[in-house]
Amino acid sequence: MNKIYKNRVIFFNEIVKNFKHIKISDLVVAHRIKNQLFNNLKGSAKKYFLLSKKYSLVNLTPNGRLAPKKELEDAFNEYVLSYYKIIKNLNIQNLLKNFIPPVIRYKEPKINRINTKNTNRSELPHADSWAGWTEDFLLFILPLSGDINNNKIRFYEVPKNINKDWLKKNDYQKVNRTIKNKFKLLKDHYKSGYLYIADITVPHVTVRQPNAKGRLSIDSPLQFKVNNKKKSKKFNITNYITSKENFLTIHQ
């Protein structure tokens, strides 16, 4: 276990110690959401999805994101507020630096044909640090509805000897060619009513069985304050998001 891995574990535990959770690995935990909060979120997300279908899913990207459009603005805002209430319930408000509107995804029964050529598709094992998210982020993943048994996300262990390159932006397909044999799947735990919190270095992947149906889920990287003042200058904003308009500042 090297220094980089130890520091990730310390950073991760400082945040997840604030709420009840099931430990899946050093860098992945599962939190059981209160029923009312989960049902409210599921209802608002379904409303947004059905409204998107009304517009023939023109807001659906090849990688499954249901992008907000002006015609869906009210429904999207309702969904974001429902999600924010779940985050607020975790008792991590004082640790958050910025709140990014959560991405709702509809993963179709089969991979989108256009997405098969995407070298950064979620069907490839990947860590979100390779997408450009910086070291002060954790990833929050929440299965909502649909076929979450046959169309799911699975997590891998983070190698205990990771180096700085693991934290740099990179092409998923390129990384998979060189280190995929080092990946070790964690015990499967992807259930309705749970919020999964993973370090930004944790590899994960979209997995579909041959008989899979569609699935709705949420993924949301959240940015946290960094205690080390020398490091904080590096973490003004993630490389992945180029506009500060995408951030909702946390007010105490």
Side-chain angles (χ1 to χ4, degrees), residues 99-198:
F99 178 81
I100 300 169
V103 171
I104 184 167
R105 292 190 191 275
Y106 173 59
K107 281 297 185 179
E108 298 168 289
K110 294 182 180 180
I111 185 172
N112 187 295
R113 187 171 60 181
I114 297 174
N115 209 38
T116 58
K117 298 178 181 180
N118 178 8
T119 60
N120 283 342
R121 60 189 181 274
S122 63
E123 287 78 11
L124 290 171
H126 63 282
D128 276 21
S129 54
W130 305 342
W133 297 102
T134 48
E135 298 172 44
D136 51 347
F137 278 84
L138 295 184
L139 178 62
F140 289 66
I141 290 176
L142 198 162
L144 277 171
S145 60
D147 190 3
I148 62 174
N149 292 319
N150 298 303
N151 187 345
K152 64 175 66 178
I153 293 172
R154 295 203 66 185
F155 298 98
Y156 295 84
E157 283 188 2
V158 176
K160 292 181 172 60
N161 61 345
I162 57 171
N163 56 34
K164 291 181 179 179
D165 288 340
W166 195 276
L167 296 164
K168 294 178 181 177
K169 190 172 182 179
N170 214 328
D171 181 273
Y172 300 173
Q173 191 164 283
K174 180 181 176 182
V175 177
N176 270 260
R177 289 196 195 105
T178 58
I179 62 174
K180 188 176 181 180
N181 62 337
K182 297 181 181 179
F183 290 156
K184 181 181 177 182
L185 277 169
L186 294 172
K187 185 177 180 181
D188 197 8
H189 193 300
Y190 191 72
K191 300 178 181 179
S192 178
Y194 281 89
L195 174 64
Y196 296 89
I197 298 91

Side-chain angles (χ1 to χ4, degrees), residues 208-225:
R208 294 180 181 87
Q209 299 301 326
N211 60 339
K213 296 180 174 64
R215 177 251 299 174
L216 273 182
S217 61
I218 294 171
D219 54 88
S220 167
L222 293 182
Q223 189 179 35
F224 290 85
K225 297 171 184 174

Side-chain angles (χ1 to χ4, degrees), residues 5 11 25-26 34 41 51-52 62 64 84 90 97 105 107-108 125 150 165 175 190 203-204 223 232 245:
Y5 185 89
F11 175 65
S25 75
D26 286 345
K34 290 182 178 179
L41 175 64
L51 191 57
S52 298
Y84 182 72
L90 296 178
K97 182 177 180 181
R105 292 190 191 275
K107 281 297 185 179
E108 298 168 289
N150 298 303
D165 288 340
V175 177
Y190 191 72
H204 52 284
Q223 189 179 35
S232 63
E245 292 176 359

